[in-house]
């Protein structure tokens, strides 16, 4: 007996979340066991509103655009589901003959996924998670779809900004990278380097307490040597007291707003060192860039979508698709997909391990670079620099 | 009698300043009238330090990398030349058999160009300007090399961020664009739109006084309609009193530092409207992006380099190469290069004309879009959006 699939997107987009959706549709078409691939438009709220759209009949040439469309083509939300919402779901799924529910998202969405799985246990609906986050902070899996592209973006952008700063070496430039609690994207800026001395010159991760005095000493020394200095810092940088380095600028009933870390550090350099400084904060430009989408990341996102539907069709609910990196003798990069029990990943946050951060806490280690390198795809462009040796 | 060429870069880089250098080298090789193409490493200071490097013998496959290398491969500076610096130049040029001096830069560099021309009049050295600035604020010429690529970057990035904000419509997003006194790059964000309602929803240029009340009213209305709103604002936004809207945050002996316009506007939205808001400031990422280099811009930059050397070899100094847009019956975009007397462009700043800005001062006109469209090159990518009609 055939059934329908429902795909739901949760949380912030990545450059390849739509690629996973593409993978689900491809797998559904090839399986012959699926009649409709419903998208819940607007995220989890779309389930409750029964805001469903069938993507099964959309021609392949249109569906293919998913591979090069940033953000999420079916919408997303940060709506927090309540107990009664979960309870309402089995009836909704039954009404639409939905047998397979696939939730694509980060830690929060995996939590939702586990809860929907629990709520649907009796009804025979299988619920599977597809990981997605540029932050790369989901447990167990080697890495998450979305991270490789955000990593490629920050590496390429840091290389370009590095050339700019080197060619007109009049300032310290602080680039802010996304990832409030996990520094994976910030760390990936190290992949901009092709030779010693290349930008970034300093990297600050939220995993280590930020020490203002050391930062200023390092910047001063580098500025004397090079003129132009490139710093990459996480948006979530914290001090030794565990509090954000940037003081809160405004509180509303809902949230506390902080200033930008990049502007804060640039101002420190100006005021404490009297050195010209500026800040760049590409922000969500970096998670929605198709030009810097990593082909490896895109392929793996497609794979995650396909594998999620396969697991669901085999009746294996309550799992998330993860990637296991194979330890090959030839050193070649190779992963395979595995089904990870959802309770093992629900709301766990994975920070960067100590072995990936240098002792002084102002750079990453070669071990990190080696780990990260295959995820960003092809080598970055070679530049020509006639000032190379001066 | 053959002579040598000297190329000097001034001011901030663009994505195609190296393409003009490529054009000079190509023209020099084809002309057979040039022995060496010297680069003054590090900008105008490089002349005084005689920090010259001959690029004539570098193999074509290496030189070709100039077309895809951001920033300037020979360095640049903001060094302000003094009277005695100009007086020292004729002897330096003679020493290196330099007969043609080409200065590539913006308004400030064109001023320098005119002054070197004056200083070298008696010595038979011809001095020619190659325009370059993402700001597009040089007089007479239809547009400047560097602008088309910065325009393509901001249009593409705004389209991508627009998809992100639409797919998770929880905030107002303010993107800051470069161009302190001229809003050309900010205006080009309008080219992100493919259909009505697409981002950007509001555009604020430095040519018009910023009215806080109108901004807040417009944002509020759009937020009620759409949930997610994208605003693009110039880094140099000024109030009705002609002063920067962002209060100065710090003064040193050398300069006054202002906060970021994007963060300032986002904070206004949070504090006055209690709507979630964030800011993105790609900054120099936008002038150094090779992924978003406009092929039209690159070709025109090569042309400007070639034409500058041609003018110099014909003994026509004291000019800048400019582009004249032809008024063709078939409406096709077509330009030709012209030699513009340098005194006509020295230190003039060209702002956006009134006819390119809408009445309320929160958008550009169709006339601007029509003017700008050919400069950014091929159509931007089509995205698929299943939420299109909701």
């Amino acid at each position: 007996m055939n059934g329908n699939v429902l795909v739901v997107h949760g949380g912030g987009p990545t450059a390849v979340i739509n690629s996973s959706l593409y993978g689900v549709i491809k797998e559904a078409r090839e399986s012959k066991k699926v009649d409709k691939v419903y998208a819940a438009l607007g995220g989890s709220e779309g389930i409750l509103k029964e805001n469903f759209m069938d993507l099964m009949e959309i021609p392949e040439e249109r569906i293919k655009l998913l591979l090069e469309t940033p953000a999420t083509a079916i919408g997303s939300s940060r709506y927090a589901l309540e107990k009664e919402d979960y309870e309402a779901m089995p009836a909704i799924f039954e009404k639409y003959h939905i047998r397979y529910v696939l939730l694509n998202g980060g830690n929060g969405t995996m939590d939702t996924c586990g809860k929907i799985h629990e709520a649907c246990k009796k009804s025979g609906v299988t619920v599977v998670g597809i990981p997605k986050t540029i932050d790369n902070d989901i447990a167990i899996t080697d890495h998450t779809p979305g991270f490789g592209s955000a990593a490629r973006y920050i590496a390429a952008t840091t290389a370009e900004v590095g050339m700019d700063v080197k060619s007109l070496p009049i300032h310290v430039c602080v680039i802010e990278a996304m990832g409030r609690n996990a520094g994976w994207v910030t760390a990936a800026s190290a992949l901009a380097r092709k030779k010693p001395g290349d930008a970034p010159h300093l990297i600050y991760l939220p995993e280590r307490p930020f020490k203002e005095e050391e930062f200023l000493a390092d910047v001063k020394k580098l500025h004397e040597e090079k003129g132009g200095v490139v710093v990459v810092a996480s948006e979530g940088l914290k001090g030794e007291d565990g509090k954000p380095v940037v003081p809160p600028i405004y509180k509303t009933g809902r949230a506390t707003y902080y200033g930008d870390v990049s502007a804060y550090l640039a101002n420190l350099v100006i005021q404490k060192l009297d050195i010209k400084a500026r800040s760049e904060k590409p922000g969500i430009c970096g998670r929605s860039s198709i030009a810097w989408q990593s082909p490896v990341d895109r392929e793996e996102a497609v794979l995650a979508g396909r594998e999620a539907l396969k697991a669901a069709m085999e009746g294996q609910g309550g799992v998330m698709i993860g990637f296991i990196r194979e330890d090959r003798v030839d050193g070649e990069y190779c992963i395979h997909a595995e089904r990870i029990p959802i309770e093992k990943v629900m709301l766990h946050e994975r920070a960067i391990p100590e072995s990936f951060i240098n002792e002084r806490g102002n750079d990453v280690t070669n071990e990190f670079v080696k780990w990260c390198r295959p995820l960003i795809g092809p080598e970055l462009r070679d530049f020509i620099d006639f000032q190379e040796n001066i």
Side-chain angles (χ1 to χ4, degrees), chain A:
Chain A
M1 188 191 77
N2 277 11
N4 298 329
V5 184
L6 176 67
V7 182
V8 189
H9 288 175
T14 74
V16 300
I17 182 170
N18 288 325
S19 296
S20 288
L21 177 57
Y22 176 82
V24 173
I25 298 166
K26 287 295 271 189
E27 189 64 33
R29 285 177 175 171
E30 289 169 18
S31 77
K32 317 277 183 202
K33 289 186 191 165
V34 168
D35 293 325
K36 293 181 180 186
V37 175
Y38 285 121
L41 298 182
S44 55
E45 278 176 287
I47 309 176
L48 302 167
K49 292 177 184 164
E50 301 174 28
N51 201 352
F52 300 149
M53 179 177 180
D54 177 24
L55 309 180
M56 199 66 164
E57 302 307 320
I58 294 173
E60 174 67 14
E61 75 263 23
R62 297 271 301 151
I63 289 293
K64 255 193 169 165
L65 289 174
L66 285 170
L67 297 169
E68 296 198 339
T69 294
T72 141
I74 61 173
S76 183
S77 82
R78 291 204 193 280
Y79 177 75
L81 294 166
E82 305 287 339
K83 193 165 170 283
E84 56 269 30
D85 296 334
Y86 290 107
E87 288 166 1
M89 287 188 189
I92 298 172
F93 298 153
E94 202 183 341
K95 183 173 164 191
Y96 290 88
H97 306 290
I98 291 165
R99 293 180 60 190
Y100 317 119
V101 176
L102 310 179
L103 282 105
N104 190 329
N107 281 313
T109 305
M110 289 311 116
D111 184 58
T112 304
C113 185
K115 288 175 179 164
I116 298 182
H117 169 67
E118 280 304 314
C120 294
K121 258 188 173 167
K122 286 183 201 152
S123 65
V125 173
T126 42
V127 185
V128 176
I130 304 170
K132 167 240 62 172
T133 166
I134 66 162
D135 291 345
N136 200 41
D137 59 354
I138 298 182
I140 317 280
T141 184
D142 180 73
H143 58 279
T144 53
F147 169 66
S149 296
R152 186 170 179 79
Y153 176 90
I154 197 79
T157 299
T158 302
E160 290 179 334
V161 169
M163 280 295 289
D164 189 295
V165 170
K166 191 186 171 192
S167 74
L168 183 63
I170 55 172
H171 50 227
V172 173
C173 175
V174 185
I175 303 172
E176 182 171 323
M178 285 187 127
R180 205 159 282 281
N181 299 315
W184 296 98
V185 175
T186 307
S189 65
L191 281 89
R193 297 171 186 147
K194 293 218 169 185
K195 52 183 192 318
D198 277 355
H201 307 111
L202 295 166
I203 298 175
Y204 295 98
L205 310 170
E207 280 83 356
R208 282 284 182 87
F210 179 75
K211 294 170 183 164
E212 188 180 306
E213 293 310 313
E214 287 189 12
F215 163 72
L216 290 170
D218 289 346
V219 166
K220 189 164 184 275
K221 190 163 167 280
L222 281 159
H223 179 71
E224 279 161 12
E225 280 167 34
K226 294 174 176 289
V229 181
V230 176
V231 178
V232 182
S234 154
E235 62 176 344
L237 228 48
K238 289 163 200 76
E240 298 192 71
D241 56 1
K243 288 184 188 160
V245 293
V246 187
I249 49 166
Y250 196 70
K251 288 187 193 206
T252 69
R254 287 188 301 217
T256 303
Y257 290 89
Y258 294 89
D260 297 324
V261 161
S262 49
Y264 178 80
L265 296 185
N267 289 338
L268 264 187
V269 171
I270 294 165
Q271 298 186 19
K272 305 262 175 164
L273 300 177
D274 195 23
I275 294 171
K276 209 173 157 171
R278 57 168 294 139
S279 61
E280 327 299 330
K281 185 197 170 197
I284 58 179
C285 310
R287 76 179 183 202
S288 53
S289 169
I290 294 298
W292 291 118
Q293 197 190 46
S294 157
V296 171
D297 190 26
R298 184 177 55 226
E299 275 170 40
E300 292 181 350
V302 173
L303 175 71
R306 281 183 172 271
E307 292 294 322
L309 182 53
K310 271 186 201 163
M313 289 190 301
E314 291 169 15
Q316 195 168 7
V319 297
M320 179 194 86
I321 302 303
F323 299 140
I324 308 298
R325 195 184 292 221
E326 292 172 19
D327 192 11
R328 286 174 52 138
V329 189
D330 61 6
E332 284 293 297
Y333 171 72
C334 186
I335 56 128
H336 66 265
E338 272 204 358
R339 297 167 188 179
I340 300 167
I342 198 84
E343 61 274 15
K344 285 197 181 173
V345 294
M346 284 166 79
L347 285 178
H348 287 284
E349 255 190 10
R350 186 175 67 141
I352 296 192
E354 277 299 305
S355 63
F356 282 0
I357 311 175
N358 77 342
E359 208 176 327
R360 200 169 159 89
N362 64 5
D363 208 333
V364 295
T365 59
N366 285 336
E367 198 183 324
F368 169 79
V369 172
K370 212 180 141 199
W371 174 86
C372 191
R373 182 64 199 79
L375 310 182
I376 72 163
E379 271 291 332
L380 296 176
R381 210 172 253 120
D382 273 321
F383 299 141
I384 192 162
D385 182 6
F386 299 120
Q387 297 199 105
E388 216 149 52
N389 304 316
I390 63 167

